[in-house]
DNA sequence: GATGAATGAGGATTCATTCAT
DNA sequence: AATGAATGAATCCTCATTCAT
């Protein structure tokens, strides 16, 4: 996918069309304009990915287990579809984009899933009650995102999925030495 | 700053010049080309910001205190210079940018500072020894970044700096309920 | 043709396009860039003109007759296509042109034809054997060129072709008074 | 001189100024505008060179001797001042130049000198009477010009002046084999 | 539906020229 | 007289979009 390599705005309709194996004009039979390609791409991908996420979370028991599955699946999917990962990383950090609504929606869906998990964790006593929820969800999303971002910038060589467990561990236990404090 | 509002590549030289109160051609007396504006901007800002960061870390005692100061300062500076924040967020998540070297350098400097802090924390017993260091540093950077990113997408209304302490708390203690484990 | 009137480098793409009855962008469907217009023009013309020259020379008997035909045809063609004549005159006397290879090739082809003729003339005894060949061919090309150049600078009013025979006469007999020598 | 290397129109005022060791603005104290540099250059050079030519012709006896001296001096001067040669070659073959009047004047002066010589030659019986004068003078100028042009395109390596005598020989005797005709 | 040639607005960059110092 | 920073008109080229076939 061209706009994974050079960014969506640096890609031309000609490149996109050639890659799709159609003529330039044909693009306009399916997309209103160039921006609409991005919008539809995100709309389609969002649905696809979030269905997976929801399903993954639903099949797990316990908040921590749900969180583990979510993060694993997240890393897994982005590893599987590196192009989507690149486009997602690039576009979620711009503003005044035409795909802004789609991106906000995706972010929101993700944050909602995390919120639900944390709230469940608080309810069943596996997570701290004194958490600043709106911060926690971003803290988790941010850490996962940056893990993906770094994987991308490194060229996507190593196994991204293997980062899931250590990452969850940091979410759950933090980096402080609890043994010291609790001794 | 125009390219904070519409992204650097969506801004025109005319807009940038008008905003700077000079003629289009004048831009080229100070910058080799359009890309060079971004490069010089990051080079200049990086030096300025990292001097502050280093200083902030140096004046604190103890790893946790250092980390607090760093994160506070980070949020503080990005809150103070919102335009820089926007541009930084946008450009650090693109690839094949001309400012790539500057951005990699900035990232690396940041990660190095965090590494040093964590290593010190491990040495003085305030941080866990069983940490995956290269993951931890990105986990911290990612969480801070996403906090800033969200603040930006919300329009920069609330006080970003106030996020520092709860964020550090999450880094240190995690979200797991240690009381349960330790009871 | 605009660049006949003002020189190729003084013409703008807009002018060239307007004259061709197409939009500016259309030019770039057929030419790589502005320079390529000149290159293609020469490549095309060179082939066309030199095919004529070769043919003209082939159909004549005897070196002197061949030379006459060549010069006649040369003047004839440049008279017929005055724009080409202007561009040719202008560009063959510049250096570091992008069309340089085409121009060198055209010059070389011309000089080669003349060389062959002169060598044949020497073989059949109609031309002097003590000739400095590489000078002779330039001497002929130069004289024809300047004849064309002057015709152009005079506005192309008079009949250029009528210069052919007197010019050949000068090539063959020179301006010296042989009768005096031979008396 | 910069505009010998890249042509006058491809040279910038900055380059010309730097080479002259003055600031850009200073150029405008001495020249009305960029074109005026070319105009003044030709005006100055023309006077200088033609004074030499006239002198050279005056000091010789006999038309053929005068012609020899003129051609020698011409080649000599252009060899000595290669930059002038390049600029002269380039600009005399363009039209709608601002230096056009200067160039026409230079051409005319040259052709006038040649005319005078030929007329004298006809009067004293060393040159043919049946010459088409306006053609002869261009034939001579063209041949000399092309000799210079070729020397320039070859990089100006060999001794240009040594071409003078063989060239004159061609002017005088032509390339035809008179012995054959006169036997 | 599909094509791809043609369009022309838009944008980066250059550079002759000016003018305050 | 000399400077050189600033100007902005001018120009090449790109590319999203259209539309006749």
């Amino acid at each position: 996918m061209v706009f994974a390599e050079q960014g969506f705005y640096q890609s031309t309709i000609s490149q996109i069309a050639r890659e799709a194996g159609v003529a330039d004009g044909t693009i306009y039979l399916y997309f209103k304009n160039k921006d609409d390609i991005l919008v539809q791409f995100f709309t389609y991908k969002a649905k696809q990915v979030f269905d997976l996420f929801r399903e993954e979370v639903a099949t797990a028991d316990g908040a921590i287990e749900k969180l583990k599955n979510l993060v694993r699946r997240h890393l897994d999917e982005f590893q599987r579809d590196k192009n989507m990962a690149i486009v997602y990383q690039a576009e979620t950090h711009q503003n005044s984009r035409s795909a802004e609504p789609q991106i906000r929606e995706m972010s929101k869906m993700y944050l909602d899933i995390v919120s639900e998990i944390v709230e469940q964790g608080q309810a069943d006593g596996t997570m701290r009650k004194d958490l600043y929820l709106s911060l926690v969800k971003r803290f988790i999303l941010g850490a996962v995102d940056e893990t993906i971002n770094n994987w991308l910038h490194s060229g996507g060589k190593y196994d991204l999925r293997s980062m899931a467990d250590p990452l969850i561990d940091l979410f759950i236990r933090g980096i402080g030495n609890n043994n010291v404090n609790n001794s």
Side-chain angles (χ1 to χ4, degrees), chain A:
Chain A
M1 201 201 267
V2 266
F3 49 90
E5 279 156 37
Q6 24 186 267
F8 177 73
Y9 286 94
Q10 270 59 54
S11 306
T12 67
I13 291 285
S14 277
Q15 288 176 309
I16 296 168
R18 189 178 322 120
E19 191 168 75
V22 298
D24 293 16
T26 310
I27 295 285
Y28 290 87
L29 298 177
Y30 300 97
F31 301 95
K32 218 167 61 240
N33 52 36
K34 194 185 171 189
D35 277 358
D36 192 40
I37 300 173
L38 198 61
V39 171
Q40 287 197 34
F41 173 81
F42 275 117
T43 306
Y44 171 76
K45 271 292 171 189
K47 196 186 156 6
Q48 189 185 37
V49 169
F50 279 95
D51 283 353
L52 277 175
F53 285 0
R54 285 258 167 231
E55 185 188 334
E56 198 70 42
V57 169
T59 60
D61 283 331
I64 290 178
E65 212 50 41
K66 279 177 193 295
L67 189 58
K68 276 186 183 164
N69 281 15
L70 174 64
V71 172
R72 263 192 221 112
R73 193 50 134 170
H74 187 170
L75 296 177
D76 213 27
E77 282 305 309
F78 277 58
Q79 174 160 255
R80 198 202 315 279
D81 192 346
K82 195 172 147 195
N83 290 331
M84 182 260 287
I86 292 172
V87 176
Y88 177 84
Q89 284 295 323
E91 302 305 325
T92 48
H93 293 264
Q94 314 265 139
N95 51 347
S96 65
R97 307 286 59 162
S98 43
E100 182 86 18
Q102 277 68 34
I103 286 167
R104 291 183 100 89
E105 167 114 2
M106 281 177 85
S107 265
K108 193 178 173 315
M109 280 171 78
Y110 196 84
L111 295 173
D112 285 351
I113 296 178
V114 176
S115 283
E116 283 170 32
I117 294 173
V118 174
E119 280 165 343
Q120 182 189 325
Q122 290 178 319
D124 66 21
T126 52
M127 289 182 188
R128 290 166 50 196
K129 293 231 162 50
D130 63 337
L131 292 171
Y132 188 170
L133 190 56
S134 77
L135 183 63
V136 166
K137 61 193 188 188
R138 288 175 220 299
F139 151 88
I140 292 173
L141 174 56
V144 175
D145 249 26
E146 180 60 24
T147 303
I148 293 170
N149 200 31
N150 181 254
W151 174 74
L152 288 173
H153 277 129
S154 79
K157 302 289 166 45
Y158 56 88
D159 183 39
L160 181 57
R161 205 188 189 214
S162 68
M163 297 287 115
D165 286 356
L167 201 45
I168 305 276
D169 177 68
L170 291 176
F171 292 155
I172 304 301
R173 299 170 61 204
I175 62 174
N177 189 352
N178 295 307
N179 298 329
V180 170
N181 298 329
N182 299 326
S183 67

